[in-house]
Structures are given as C-alpha cells and as structure tokens.
Amino acid sequence: MKGYVFHGPGHSAWEEVPDPEIKEPGDAIVRVDAVTICGTDLHILKGDVPGVRPGTVLGHEAVGEIVETGADVRTVRPGDRVLVSCISACGRCGYCREGMYGQCRGGGGWILGHLIDGTQAEYVRVPYADLSVYPLPGAVAPEDAVLLADIFPTAYEVGVLNGRVRPGDTVVVVGAGPIGIAAVATARLFAPERIVAVDLAASRLQAAKEFGADAVADATEAPEQLVEDLTGGLGADVVIEAVGVPETFELCARMVRPGGHLANVGVHGAPATLHLEDLWIKNITITTGLVDTHSTPTLLRMAAAGRLPTRQLVTHTFPLDHMQEAYDVFGNAAETGALKVVLGVPQHEVVPVHPTV
C-alpha cells in the first residue's frame, strides 16, 4: 500500500509501505476512506515532536471500513464503518479506568502517527479496537465524522471543559485555526456572554465570526485592550490558547482575570515564560492537556443530530494520493485560506454555511 512517511524534520513523502497486519488479538485493520491533516502533523514535520521516528506513517484521524479484526475484538466486525480516534485506550490501566485515555499506560494514548504507523495511508492497524474505534451512524458523512477524531474532542475537552466555560462568561480564544474555531463553536454550547477570537489572519477572524465569535481582534493590535474594555478592566473569565508559541501563551496570561482559567491547547515546541511575579496573587488556574476523547460518543450524537458545524470547517478536499498537495495547502493556510483539508472523500466544491444557534 501507500502511506505518507516522515523521514525527519522537513522530509516526508507519499510512498510504498508494507501492508499492516494483525499483531495483537485486540487489533483491527481499517481501510481508510477519509483522512485529514492536523496542526500536530505540521509540528512533527518541523521537528517539534522528537518521539516520532523517521520511517513512521503520519496521521491520527480517519474514517474507514473494518476489513479484519483480531480474535479478541468484540464490538466491531469486518464491513463496519467506523471513526478511528486519535487516542487508543487499553481500558485496563489506572488512567483508562478514570477516562484519561490520553495518558494510557497500557500501550495506548496518542500512538497513531506518533509511536506507530498512522492513518495517512490506504490502510491502518488500530490497536485496542474495542475502545479506539467508534461505529458511525449512517447519518454522519465521512467529512463530518473525520473532524470528530481529534479537533472537536480536543477543542471541547482541553479548551472548553478544562477552561470551565460557564453561562455569562467572557471567553477569549487565541488562535482561529481549526482547533480555535472548534473551541468557539463548542464554547457557544455553554451560553457565554461573549466570545472573542484573536488571530493574525483576517480570513480566519472572519471564519471565527461565522462560527460564533462575537468580537475579533488582530493579534498585532493590542487585543488585551479590547478585552479590558469589554470586561470593565477585569479580563476574561476563560482564555484558550490554541496556537502553541511562547508569545501567544504569554498573551493569554495577560488577558485572564483574577480567579479565571487559562486552558492551553496548543502544541508547544519551545519554552514559554510563566510570569509568576504577576500571576501568583491572582488565583489563576492554568491547565494543559492531551485530549482523552471521552467526549467522542457525545459529539457523535450531536453531529448526527446536526448540532455541530463540522463540515463547514472543511475548505479543501483531495483524493487520498494527493497527500503532498494537501500538506502544502494546509501548511500555507495564510495564503490558501485553508481551515481543514480532507482527503479521500468524493470531490465537490465546498460552500460555506453559516452555523445557527
């Protein structure tokens, strides 16, 4: 088969790789029908995730069909249409028993496209299939479902839930890429008073408005002042960092009010300064996290009911074998306007639809 292989920082290719095989009785082999590219994949290509070894097939999000299962798999069988989660869960370790699947110590966690071959290929081996793939309702199209493998659970769990968004809050989302926009969309479920999106790109700020942001701010034009003006000088109740660079983390820390929450979602490849000389007295709660995907069943039900603006995030679609072109488009989002790219689904023109309350 073919897959998109990481060969070291700045080097990757769509090339022939060995077909996956069942290695453990809990494994499943999935034929990939739809796959997407994550910002984390770009971090890997930059060398920000040193745990990824050269020769690894990238990707940790997919929709496909089960073609083979190991002897211990009970919940799915060949022919089933499934969502492949970005997180694999052994189901037995202490973390899995607490629903913290991202921290699995039994051989799971974030392993696809990280520690083992991933989903950006024609077929993928998924360990612990009973807990790591989700049968899909017929009403959920592939290009909708694939966005529930990572970005919506990540934005919802690591951003909105960790940030403790509540009715009446002022929420600031720094970074209006796919994760940031998904954070805007899922924060709206909790009826905050206002959501402010901050980014450098005018096109992404416009997209944030379409997904529910009440106000937007150019990151170069004193967004702290806007937040201060909107909150009577207090600052935001919740600030979600969705970029992953030191400057944006420090910006978030300056905008959060005393007693507020700063939820870091971005993947950081360099140290950021924590200004405790300013923050120690403010009762700030700072959270970090890798998604656990415990919310995936809930999000799937919401998607099936039409309550999540998933497909509106998809700006570009490609055949599966156009992986390098898709990476080029996604990696140059400032020029291409890409939010989310999906490969492998039937090609069509994407018409933006404004989400409604």
Side-chain angles (χ1 to χ4, degrees), residues 291-329:
V291 64
D292 293 312
T293 65
H294 61 75
S295 68
T296 300
T298 298
L299 295 172
L300 270 172
R301 290 195 300 272
M302 293 180 68
R307 298 297 300 276
L308 284 180
T310 47
R311 194 178 309 187
Q312 294 95 305
L313 270 172
V314 179
T315 54
H316 298 76
T317 59
F318 300 88
L320 187 61
D321 59 359
H322 287 216
M323 191 68 68
Q324 188 57 60
E325 181 184 355
Y327 262 92
D328 292 341
V329 168

PDB file of all heavy atoms in Angstrom, residues 291-329:
ATOM      1  N   VAL A 291      -5.821  15.465  24.591  1.00  0.00           N
ATOM      2  CA  VAL A 291      -7.223  15.045  24.554  1.00  0.00           C
ATOM      3  C   VAL A 291      -7.359  13.594  25.012  1.00  0.00           C
ATOM      4  O   VAL A 291      -6.490  12.747  24.752  1.00  0.00           O
ATOM      5  CB  VAL A 291      -7.788  15.222  23.133  1.00  0.00           C
ATOM      6  CG1 VAL A 291      -7.085  14.317  22.130  1.00  0.00           C
ATOM      7  CG2 VAL A 291      -9.288  14.981  23.114  1.00  0.00           C
ATOM      8  N   ASP A 292      -8.439  13.301  25.727  1.00  0.00           N
ATOM      9  CA  ASP A 292      -8.736  11.934  26.150  1.00  0.00           C
ATOM     10  C   ASP A 292      -9.765  11.260  25.254  1.00  0.00           C
ATOM     11  O   ASP A 292      -9.875  10.043  25.253  1.00  0.00           O
ATOM     12  CB  ASP A 292      -9.250  11.931  27.594  1.00  0.00           C
ATOM     13  CG  ASP A 292      -8.185  12.342  28.589  1.00  0.00           C
ATOM     14  OD1 ASP A 292      -7.066  11.805  28.510  1.00  0.00           O
ATOM     15  OD2 ASP A 292      -8.465  13.209  29.434  1.00  0.00           O
ATOM     16  N   THR A 293     -10.553  12.044  24.529  1.00  0.00           N
ATOM     17  CA  THR A 293     -11.634  11.573  23.637  1.00  0.00           C
ATOM     18  C   THR A 293     -12.772  10.900  24.398  1.00  0.00           C
ATOM     19  O   THR A 293     -13.553  10.168  23.793  1.00  0.00           O
ATOM     20  CB  THR A 293     -11.120  10.641  22.503  1.00  0.00           C
ATOM     21  OG1 THR A 293     -10.607   9.424  23.050  1.00  0.00           O
ATOM     22  CG2 THR A 293     -10.036  11.323  21.683  1.00  0.00           C
ATOM     23  N   HIS A 294     -12.913  11.178  25.696  1.00  0.00           N
ATOM     24  CA  HIS A 294     -14.058  10.639  26.421  1.00  0.00           C
ATOM     25  C   HIS A 294     -15.367  11.257  25.930  1.00  0.00           C
ATOM     26  O   HIS A 294     -16.444  10.691  26.138  1.00  0.00           O
ATOM     27  CB  HIS A 294     -13.902  10.871  27.926  1.00  0.00           C
ATOM     28  CG  HIS A 294     -13.810  12.316  28.324  1.00  0.00           C
ATOM     29  ND1 HIS A 294     -14.894  13.177  28.344  1.00  0.00           N
ATOM     30  CD2 HIS A 294     -12.749  13.057  28.722  1.00  0.00           C
ATOM     31  CE1 HIS A 294     -14.505  14.370  28.730  1.00  0.00           C
ATOM     32  NE2 HIS A 294     -13.210  14.335  28.967  1.00  0.00           N
ATOM     33  N   SER A 295     -15.271  12.412  25.249  1.00  0.00           N
ATOM     34  CA  SER A 295     -16.483  13.090  24.756  1.00  0.00           C
ATOM     35  C   SER A 295     -16.902  12.634  23.365  1.00  0.00           C
ATOM     36  O   SER A 295     -17.940  13.079  22.866  1.00  0.00           O
ATOM     37  CB  SER A 295     -16.247  14.609  24.723  1.00  0.00           C
ATOM     38  OG  SER A 295     -15.286  14.950  23.734  1.00  0.00           O
ATOM     39  N   THR A 296     -16.133  11.756  22.728  1.00  0.00           N
ATOM     40  CA  THR A 296     -16.425  11.385  21.338  1.00  0.00           C
ATOM     41  C   THR A 296     -17.837  10.836  21.143  1.00  0.00           C
ATOM     42  O   THR A 296     -18.527  11.240  20.194  1.00  0.00           O
ATOM     43  CB  THR A 296     -15.373  10.395  20.817  1.00  0.00           C
ATOM     44  OG1 THR A 296     -14.081  11.008  20.882  1.00  0.00           O
ATOM     45  CG2 THR A 296     -15.660   9.992  19.377  1.00  0.00           C
ATOM     46  N   PRO A 297     -18.338   9.929  21.989  1.00  0.00           N
ATOM     47  CA  PRO A 297     -19.719   9.458  21.782  1.00  0.00           C
ATOM     48  C   PRO A 297     -20.747  10.590  21.835  1.00  0.00           C
ATOM     49  O   PRO A 297     -21.694  10.618  21.035  1.00  0.00           O
ATOM     50  CB  PRO A 297     -19.919   8.456  22.922  1.00  0.00           C
ATOM     51  CG  PRO A 297     -18.546   7.963  23.240  1.00  0.00           C
ATOM     52  CD  PRO A 297     -17.667   9.174  23.069  1.00  0.00           C
ATOM     53  N   THR A 298     -20.555  11.522  22.761  1.00  0.00           N
ATOM     54  CA  THR A 298     -21.477  12.668  22.854  1.00  0.00           C
ATOM     55  C   THR A 298     -21.415  13.511  21.597  1.00  0.00           C
ATOM     56  O   THR A 298     -22.447  13.918  21.037  1.00  0.00           O
ATOM     57  CB  THR A 298     -21.132  13.527  24.088  1.00  0.00           C
ATOM     58  OG1 THR A 298     -21.290  12.737  25.261  1.00  0.00           O
ATOM     59  CG2 THR A 298     -22.030  14.758  24.156  1.00  0.00           C
ATOM     60  N   LEU A 299     -20.208  13.793  21.139  1.00  0.00           N
ATOM     61  CA  LEU A 299     -20.046  14.625  19.946  1.00  0.00           C
ATOM     62  C   LEU A 299     -20.601  13.928  18.708  1.00  0.00           C
ATOM     63  O   LEU A 299     -21.165  14.582  17.820  1.00  0.00           O
ATOM     64  CB  LEU A 299     -18.574  14.987  19.754  1.00  0.00           C
ATOM     65  CG  LEU A 299     -17.974  15.869  20.855  1.00  0.00           C
ATOM     66  CD1 LEU A 299     -16.460  16.004  20.662  1.00  0.00           C
ATOM     67  CD2 LEU A 299     -18.632  17.244  20.878  1.00  0.00           C
ATOM     68  N   LEU A 300     -20.462  12.615  18.637  1.00  0.00           N
ATOM     69  CA  LEU A 300     -21.040  11.873  17.516  1.00  0.00           C
ATOM     70  C   LEU A 300     -22.563  12.002  17.489  1.00  0.00           C
ATOM     71  O   LEU A 300     -23.164  12.179  16.423  1.00  0.00           O
ATOM     72  CB  LEU A 300     -20.645  10.395  17.601  1.00  0.00           C
ATOM     73  CG  LEU A 300     -19.357   9.978  16.911  1.00  0.00           C
ATOM     74  CD1 LEU A 300     -19.008   8.543  17.259  1.00  0.00           C
ATOM     75  CD2 LEU A 300     -19.461  10.146  15.403  1.00  0.00           C
ATOM     76  N   ARG A 301     -23.173  11.910  18.661  1.00  0.00           N
ATOM     77  CA  ARG A 301     -24.629  12.063  18.715  1.00  0.00           C
ATOM     78  C   ARG A 301     -25.038  13.474  18.292  1.00  0.00           C
ATOM     79  O   ARG A 301     -26.034  13.663  17.583  1.00  0.00           O
ATOM     80  CB  ARG A 301     -25.138  11.769  20.127  1.00  0.00           C
ATOM     81  CG  ARG A 301     -25.043  10.304  20.530  1.00  0.00           C
ATOM     82  CD  ARG A 301     -25.877  10.006  21.765  1.00  0.00           C
ATOM     83  NE  ARG A 301     -25.459  10.792  22.920  1.00  0.00           N
ATOM     84  CZ  ARG A 301     -24.514  10.414  23.776  1.00  0.00           C
ATOM     85  NH1 ARG A 301     -23.876   9.265  23.589  1.00  0.00           N
ATOM     86  NH2 ARG A 301     -24.221  11.174  24.824  1.00  0.00           N
ATOM     87  N   MET A 302     -24.271  14.473  18.712  1.00  0.00           N
ATOM     88  CA  MET A 302     -24.587  15.848  18.336  1.00  0.00           C
ATOM     89  C   MET A 302     -24.420  16.055  16.837  1.00  0.00           C
ATOM     90  O   MET A 302     -25.211  16.749  16.201  1.00  0.00           O
ATOM     91  CB  MET A 302     -23.708  16.816  19.121  1.00  0.00           C
ATOM     92  CG  MET A 302     -23.995  16.823  20.610  1.00  0.00           C
ATOM     93  SD  MET A 302     -22.945  17.976  21.489  1.00  0.00           S
ATOM     94  CE  MET A 302     -23.565  19.520  20.852  1.00  0.00           C
ATOM     95  N   ALA A 303     -23.368  15.455  16.267  1.00  0.00           N
ATOM     96  CA  ALA A 303     -23.157  15.579  14.823  1.00  0.00           C
ATOM     97  C   ALA A 303     -24.299  14.917  14.055  1.00  0.00           C
ATOM     98  O   ALA A 303     -24.787  15.458  13.054  1.00  0.00           O
ATOM     99  CB  ALA A 303     -21.818  14.967  14.438  1.00  0.00           C
ATOM    100  N   ALA A 304     -24.730  13.749  14.513  1.00  0.00           N
ATOM    101  CA  ALA A 304     -25.822  13.047  13.843  1.00  0.00           C
ATOM    102  C   ALA A 304     -27.109  13.855  13.897  1.00  0.00           C
ATOM    103  O   ALA A 304     -27.944  13.787  12.994  1.00  0.00           O
ATOM    104  CB  ALA A 304     -26.030  11.675  14.474  1.00  0.00           C
ATOM    105  N   ALA A 305     -27.262  14.662  14.965  1.00  0.00           N
ATOM    106  CA  ALA A 305     -28.459  15.495  15.118  1.00  0.00           C
ATOM    107  C   ALA A 305     -28.313  16.856  14.445  1.00  0.00           C
ATOM    108  O   ALA A 305     -29.223  17.685  14.526  1.00  0.00           O
ATOM    109  CB  ALA A 305     -28.760  15.690  16.602  1.00  0.00           C
ATOM    110  N   GLY A 306     -27.164  17.093  13.788  1.00  0.00           N
ATOM    111  CA  GLY A 306     -26.946  18.367  13.113  1.00  0.00           C
ATOM    112  C   GLY A 306     -26.635  19.515  14.042  1.00  0.00           C
ATOM    113  O   GLY A 306     -26.823  20.680  13.685  1.00  0.00           O
ATOM    114  N   ARG A 307     -26.117  19.220  15.249  1.00  0.00           N
ATOM    115  CA  ARG A 307     -25.865  20.261  16.239  1.00  0.00           C
ATOM    116  C   ARG A 307     -24.424  20.744  16.262  1.00  0.00           C
ATOM    117  O   ARG A 307     -24.093  21.622  17.057  1.00  0.00           O
ATOM    118  CB  ARG A 307     -26.244  19.747  17.631  1.00  0.00           C
ATOM    119  CG  ARG A 307     -27.713  19.394  17.792  1.00  0.00           C
ATOM    120  CD  ARG A 307     -28.611  20.605  17.610  1.00  0.00           C
ATOM    121  NE  ARG A 307     -28.309  21.642  18.590  1.00  0.00           N
ATOM    122  CZ  ARG A 307     -28.794  21.681  19.821  1.00  0.00           C
ATOM    123  NH1 ARG A 307     -29.621  20.728  20.217  1.00  0.00           N
ATOM    124  NH2 ARG A 307     -28.478  22.659  20.645  1.00  0.00           N
ATOM    125  N   LEU A 308     -23.564  20.187  15.422  1.00  0.00           N
ATOM    126  CA  LEU A 308     -22.172  20.637  15.371  1.00  0.00           C
ATOM    127  C   LEU A 308     -21.836  21.108  13.960  1.00  0.00           C
ATOM    128  O   LEU A 308     -22.114  20.406  12.981  1.00  0.00           O
ATOM    129  CB  LEU A 308     -21.206  19.504  15.744  1.00  0.00           C
ATOM    130  CG  LEU A 308     -21.073  19.114  17.213  1.00  0.00           C
ATOM    131  CD1 LEU A 308     -20.062  17.981  17.346  1.00  0.00           C
ATOM    132  CD2 LEU A 308     -20.666  20.292  18.076  1.00  0.00           C
ATOM    133  N   PRO A 309     -21.206  22.278  13.815  1.00  0.00           N
ATOM    134  CA  PRO A 309     -20.833  22.775  12.485  1.00  0.00           C
ATOM    135  C   PRO A 309     -19.524  22.157  12.027  1.00  0.00           C
ATOM    136  O   PRO A 309     -18.478  22.787  12.010  1.00  0.00           O
ATOM    137  CB  PRO A 309     -20.687  24.282  12.723  1.00  0.00           C
ATOM    138  CG  PRO A 309     -20.214  24.379  14.142  1.00  0.00           C
ATOM    139  CD  PRO A 309     -20.895  23.258  14.879  1.00  0.00           C
ATOM    140  N   THR A 310     -19.574  20.880  11.657  1.00  0.00           N
ATOM    141  CA  THR A 310     -18.347  20.164  11.305  1.00  0.00           C
ATOM    142  C   THR A 310     -17.916  20.442   9.867  1.00  0.00           C
ATOM    143  O   THR A 310     -16.827  20.955   9.621  1.00  0.00           O
ATOM    144  CB  THR A 310     -18.548  18.650  11.514  1.00  0.00           C
ATOM    145  OG1 THR A 310     -19.793  18.255  10.920  1.00  0.00           O
ATOM    146  CG2 THR A 310     -18.570  18.317  12.989  1.00  0.00           C
ATOM    147  N   ARG A 311     -18.782  20.111   8.921  1.00  0.00           N
ATOM    148  CA  ARG A 311     -18.366  20.193   7.520  1.00  0.00           C
ATOM    149  C   ARG A 311     -18.027  21.613   7.091  1.00  0.00           C
ATOM    150  O   ARG A 311     -17.225  21.812   6.164  1.00  0.00           O
ATOM    151  CB  ARG A 311     -19.447  19.619   6.609  1.00  0.00           C
ATOM    152  CG  ARG A 311     -18.948  19.370   5.189  1.00  0.00           C
ATOM    153  CD  ARG A 311     -20.006  18.754   4.312  1.00  0.00           C
ATOM    154  NE  ARG A 311     -20.622  17.579   4.932  1.00  0.00           N
ATOM    155  CZ  ARG A 311     -21.486  16.795   4.299  1.00  0.00           C
ATOM    156  NH1 ARG A 311     -21.824  17.063   3.049  1.00  0.00           N
ATOM    157  NH2 ARG A 311     -22.029  15.759   4.928  1.00  0.00           N
ATOM    158  N   GLN A 312     -18.579  22.613   7.779  1.00  0.00           N
ATOM    159  CA  GLN A 312     -18.279  23.999   7.408  1.00  0.00           C
ATOM    160  C   GLN A 312     -16.811  24.334   7.609  1.00  0.00           C
ATOM    161  O   GLN A 312     -16.303  25.304   7.050  1.00  0.00           O
ATOM    162  CB  GLN A 312     -19.144  24.965   8.225  1.00  0.00           C
ATOM    163  CG  GLN A 312     -20.633  24.862   7.923  1.00  0.00           C
ATOM    164  CD  GLN A 312     -21.338  23.953   8.894  1.00  0.00           C
ATOM    165  OE1 GLN A 312     -20.960  22.798   9.058  1.00  0.00           O
ATOM    166  NE2 GLN A 312     -22.375  24.459   9.545  1.00  0.00           N
ATOM    167  N   LEU A 313     -16.117  23.528   8.421  1.00  0.00           N
ATOM    168  CA  LEU A 313     -14.681  23.753   8.629  1.00  0.00           C
ATOM    169  C   LEU A 313     -13.837  23.242   7.465  1.00  0.00           C
ATOM    170  O   LEU A 313     -12.675  23.603   7.334  1.00  0.00           O
ATOM    171  CB  LEU A 313     -14.218  23.062   9.914  1.00  0.00           C
ATOM    172  CG  LEU A 313     -14.278  23.873  11.201  1.00  0.00           C
ATOM    173  CD1 LEU A 313     -13.982  22.985  12.400  1.00  0.00           C
ATOM    174  CD2 LEU A 313     -13.300  25.030  11.152  1.00  0.00           C
ATOM    175  N   VAL A 314     -14.413  22.374   6.637  1.00  0.00           N
ATOM    176  CA  VAL A 314     -13.648  21.764   5.538  1.00  0.00           C
ATOM    177  C   VAL A 314     -13.617  22.728   4.364  1.00  0.00           C
ATOM    178  O   VAL A 314     -14.637  22.965   3.709  1.00  0.00           O
ATOM    179  CB  VAL A 314     -14.266  20.409   5.127  1.00  0.00           C
ATOM    180  CG1 VAL A 314     -13.466  19.800   3.970  1.00  0.00           C
ATOM    181  CG2 VAL A 314     -14.302  19.460   6.312  1.00  0.00           C
ATOM    182  N   THR A 315     -12.450  23.263   4.085  1.00  0.00           N
ATOM    183  CA  THR A 315     -12.300  24.218   2.988  1.00  0.00           C
ATOM    184  C   THR A 315     -11.710  23.594   1.728  1.00  0.00           C
ATOM    185  O   THR A 315     -11.867  24.147   0.644  1.00  0.00           O
ATOM    186  CB  THR A 315     -11.396  25.382   3.421  1.00  0.00           C
ATOM    187  OG1 THR A 315     -10.155  24.850   3.920  1.00  0.00           O
ATOM    188  CG2 THR A 315     -12.064  26.219   4.511  1.00  0.00           C
ATOM    189  N   HIS A 316     -11.034  22.456   1.856  1.00  0.00           N
ATOM    190  CA  HIS A 316     -10.389  21.820   0.699  1.00  0.00           C
ATOM    191  C   HIS A 316     -10.524  20.309   0.820  1.00  0.00           C
ATOM    192  O   HIS A 316     -10.355  19.747   1.903  1.00  0.00           O
ATOM    193  CB  HIS A 316      -8.896  22.178   0.630  1.00  0.00           C
ATOM    194  CG  HIS A 316      -8.614  23.636   0.452  1.00  0.00           C
ATOM    195  ND1 HIS A 316      -8.740  24.541   1.480  1.00  0.00           N
ATOM    196  CD2 HIS A 316      -8.213  24.334  -0.644  1.00  0.00           C
ATOM    197  CE1 HIS A 316      -8.422  25.754   1.036  1.00  0.00           C
ATOM    198  NE2 HIS A 316      -8.103  25.655  -0.246  1.00  0.00           N
ATOM    199  N   THR A 317     -10.812  19.636  -0.315  1.00  0.00           N
ATOM    200  CA  THR A 317     -10.827  18.180  -0.366  1.00  0.00           C
ATOM    201  C   THR A 317      -9.906  17.712  -1.490  1.00  0.00           C
ATOM    202  O   THR A 317      -9.720  18.397  -2.504  1.00  0.00           O
ATOM    203  CB  THR A 317     -12.245  17.638  -0.602  1.00  0.00           C
ATOM    204  OG1 THR A 317     -12.753  18.155  -1.838  1.00  0.00           O
ATOM    205  CG2 THR A 317     -13.178  18.030   0.543  1.00  0.00           C
ATOM    206  N   PHE A 318      -9.327  16.514  -1.276  1.00  0.00           N
ATOM    207  CA  PHE A 318      -8.350  15.962  -2.219  1.00  0.00           C
ATOM    208  C   PHE A 318      -8.532  14.453  -2.309  1.00  0.00           C
ATOM    209  O   PHE A 318      -8.996  13.824  -1.352  1.00  0.00           O
ATOM    210  CB  PHE A 318      -6.911  16.216  -1.735  1.00  0.00           C
ATOM    211  CG  PHE A 318      -6.541  17.659  -1.558  1.00  0.00           C
ATOM    212  CD1 PHE A 318      -6.780  18.303  -0.358  1.00  0.00           C
ATOM    213  CD2 PHE A 318      -5.936  18.371  -2.585  1.00  0.00           C
ATOM    214  CE1 PHE A 318      -6.434  19.624  -0.172  1.00  0.00           C
ATOM    215  CE2 PHE A 318      -5.585  19.696  -2.413  1.00  0.00           C
ATOM    216  CZ  PHE A 318      -5.838  20.331  -1.207  1.00  0.00           C
ATOM    217  N   PRO A 319      -8.127  13.853  -3.433  1.00  0.00           N
ATOM    218  CA  PRO A 319      -8.000  12.393  -3.449  1.00  0.00           C
ATOM    219  C   PRO A 319      -6.923  11.973  -2.443  1.00  0.00           C
ATOM    220  O   PRO A 319      -6.027  12.755  -2.111  1.00  0.00           O
ATOM    221  CB  PRO A 319      -7.558  12.085  -4.889  1.00  0.00           C
ATOM    222  CG  PRO A 319      -7.905  13.306  -5.679  1.00  0.00           C
ATOM    223  CD  PRO A 319      -7.786  14.459  -4.741  1.00  0.00           C
ATOM    224  N   LEU A 320      -7.004  10.751  -1.967  1.00  0.00           N
ATOM    225  CA  LEU A 320      -6.077  10.295  -0.943  1.00  0.00           C
ATOM    226  C   LEU A 320      -4.626  10.357  -1.400  1.00  0.00           C
ATOM    227  O   LEU A 320      -3.723  10.665  -0.607  1.00  0.00           O
ATOM    228  CB  LEU A 320      -6.435   8.854  -0.533  1.00  0.00           C
ATOM    229  CG  LEU A 320      -5.670   8.277   0.657  1.00  0.00           C
ATOM    230  CD1 LEU A 320      -5.921   9.092   1.918  1.00  0.00           C
ATOM    231  CD2 LEU A 320      -6.065   6.810   0.885  1.00  0.00           C
ATOM    232  N   ASP A 321      -4.376  10.100  -2.681  1.00  0.00           N
ATOM    233  CA  ASP A 321      -2.990  10.072  -3.146  1.00  0.00           C
ATOM    234  C   ASP A 321      -2.427  11.466  -3.450  1.00  0.00           C
ATOM    235  O   ASP A 321      -1.298  11.585  -3.919  1.00  0.00           O
ATOM    236  CB  ASP A 321      -2.837   9.163  -4.372  1.00  0.00           C
ATOM    237  CG  ASP A 321      -3.702   9.595  -5.547  1.00  0.00           C
ATOM    238  OD1 ASP A 321      -4.448  10.595  -5.411  1.00  0.00           O
ATOM    239  OD2 ASP A 321      -3.634   8.929  -6.597  1.00  0.00           O
ATOM    240  N   HIS A 322      -3.190  12.522  -3.152  1.00  0.00           N
ATOM    241  CA  HIS A 322      -2.687  13.889  -3.299  1.00  0.00           C
ATOM    242  C   HIS A 322      -2.228  14.444  -1.948  1.00  0.00           C
ATOM    243  O   HIS A 322      -2.430  15.612  -1.643  1.00  0.00           O
ATOM    244  CB  HIS A 322      -3.763  14.796  -3.896  1.00  0.00           C
ATOM    245  CG  HIS A 322      -4.012  14.565  -5.354  1.00  0.00           C
ATOM    246  ND1 HIS A 322      -4.321  15.583  -6.228  1.00  0.00           N
ATOM    247  CD2 HIS A 322      -3.989  13.436  -6.096  1.00  0.00           C
ATOM    248  CE1 HIS A 322      -4.485  15.085  -7.442  1.00  0.00           C
ATOM    249  NE2 HIS A 322      -4.292  13.782  -7.387  1.00  0.00           N
ATOM    250  N   MET A 323      -1.600  13.577  -1.166  1.00  0.00           N
ATOM    251  CA  MET A 323      -1.242  13.939   0.202  1.00  0.00           C
ATOM    252  C   MET A 323      -0.272  15.117   0.260  1.00  0.00           C
ATOM    253  O   MET A 323      -0.448  16.041   1.063  1.00  0.00           O
ATOM    254  CB  MET A 323      -0.636  12.728   0.916  1.00  0.00           C
ATOM    255  CG  MET A 323      -0.480  12.899   2.410  1.00  0.00           C
ATOM    256  SD  MET A 323      -2.049  12.977   3.313  1.00  0.00           S
ATOM    257  CE  MET A 323      -2.649  11.304   3.104  1.00  0.00           C
ATOM    258  N   GLN A 324       0.740  15.124  -0.588  1.00  0.00           N
ATOM    259  CA  GLN A 324       1.700  16.220  -0.512  1.00  0.00           C
ATOM    260  C   GLN A 324       1.063  17.557  -0.886  1.00  0.00           C
ATOM    261  O   GLN A 324       1.337  18.582  -0.258  1.00  0.00           O
ATOM    262  CB  GLN A 324       2.901  15.954  -1.438  1.00  0.00           C
ATOM    263  CG  GLN A 324       4.034  16.973  -1.269  1.00  0.00           C
ATOM    264  CD  GLN A 324       4.549  17.031   0.159  1.00  0.00           C
ATOM    265  OE1 GLN A 324       5.023  16.043   0.704  1.00  0.00           O
ATOM    266  NE2 GLN A 324       4.450  18.205   0.788  1.00  0.00           N
ATOM    267  N   GLU A 325       0.192  17.538  -1.888  1.00  0.00           N
ATOM    268  CA  GLU A 325      -0.519  18.764  -2.254  1.00  0.00           C
ATOM    269  C   GLU A 325      -1.374  19.257  -1.086  1.00  0.00           C
ATOM    270  O   GLU A 325      -1.418  20.466  -0.784  1.00  0.00           O
ATOM    271  CB  GLU A 325      -1.401  18.511  -3.476  1.00  0.00           C
ATOM    272  CG  GLU A 325      -2.162  19.746  -3.946  1.00  0.00           C
ATOM    273  CD  GLU A 325      -3.105  19.441  -5.101  1.00  0.00           C
ATOM    274  OE1 GLU A 325      -3.099  18.290  -5.595  1.00  0.00           O
ATOM    275  OE2 GLU A 325      -3.851  20.364  -5.496  1.00  0.00           O
ATOM    276  N   ALA A 326      -2.036  18.329  -0.407  1.00  0.00           N
ATOM    277  CA  ALA A 326      -2.867  18.709   0.734  1.00  0.00           C
ATOM    278  C   ALA A 326      -2.019  19.303   1.853  1.00  0.00           C
ATOM    279  O   ALA A 326      -2.413  20.289   2.489  1.00  0.00           O
ATOM    280  CB  ALA A 326      -3.635  17.495   1.239  1.00  0.00           C
ATOM    281  N   TYR A 327      -0.854  18.724   2.110  1.00  0.00           N
ATOM    282  CA  TYR A 327       0.056  19.281   3.122  1.00  0.00           C
ATOM    283  C   TYR A 327       0.504  20.686   2.738  1.00  0.00           C
ATOM    284  O   TYR A 327       0.597  21.581   3.589  1.00  0.00           O
ATOM    285  CB  TYR A 327       1.272  18.378   3.313  1.00  0.00           C
ATOM    286  CG  TYR A 327       1.165  17.447   4.497  1.00  0.00           C
ATOM    287  CD1 TYR A 327       0.647  16.164   4.341  1.00  0.00           C
ATOM    288  CD2 TYR A 327       1.571  17.838   5.765  1.00  0.00           C
ATOM    289  CE1 TYR A 327       0.540  15.299   5.427  1.00  0.00           C
ATOM    290  CE2 TYR A 327       1.478  16.990   6.848  1.00  0.00           C
ATOM    291  CZ  TYR A 327       0.962  15.721   6.687  1.00  0.00           C
ATOM    292  OH  TYR A 327       0.848  14.870   7.758  1.00  0.00           O
ATOM    293  N   ASP A 328       0.792  20.887   1.466  1.00  0.00           N
ATOM    294  CA  ASP A 328       1.227  22.215   1.009  1.00  0.00           C
ATOM    295  C   ASP A 328       0.125  23.247   1.221  1.00  0.00           C
ATOM    296  O   ASP A 328       0.385  24.374   1.672  1.00  0.00           O
ATOM    297  CB  ASP A 328       1.620  22.166  -0.465  1.00  0.00           C
ATOM    298  CG  ASP A 328       2.883  21.351  -0.716  1.00  0.00           C
ATOM    299  OD1 ASP A 328       3.647  21.125   0.247  1.00  0.00           O
ATOM    300  OD2 ASP A 328       3.100  20.940  -1.873  1.00  0.00           O
ATOM    301  N   VAL A 329      -1.111  22.867   0.915  1.00  0.00           N
ATOM    302  CA  VAL A 329      -2.240  23.791   1.086  1.00  0.00           C
ATOM    303  C   VAL A 329      -2.475  24.078   2.566  1.00  0.00           C
ATOM    304  O   VAL A 329      -2.640  25.224   2.979  1.00  0.00           O
ATOM    305  CB  VAL A 329      -3.504  23.214   0.424  1.00  0.00           C
ATOM    306  CG1 VAL A 329      -4.744  23.996   0.836  1.00  0.00           C
ATOM    307  CG2 VAL A 329      -3.351  23.223  -1.093  1.00  0.00           C
TER     308      VAL A 329
END
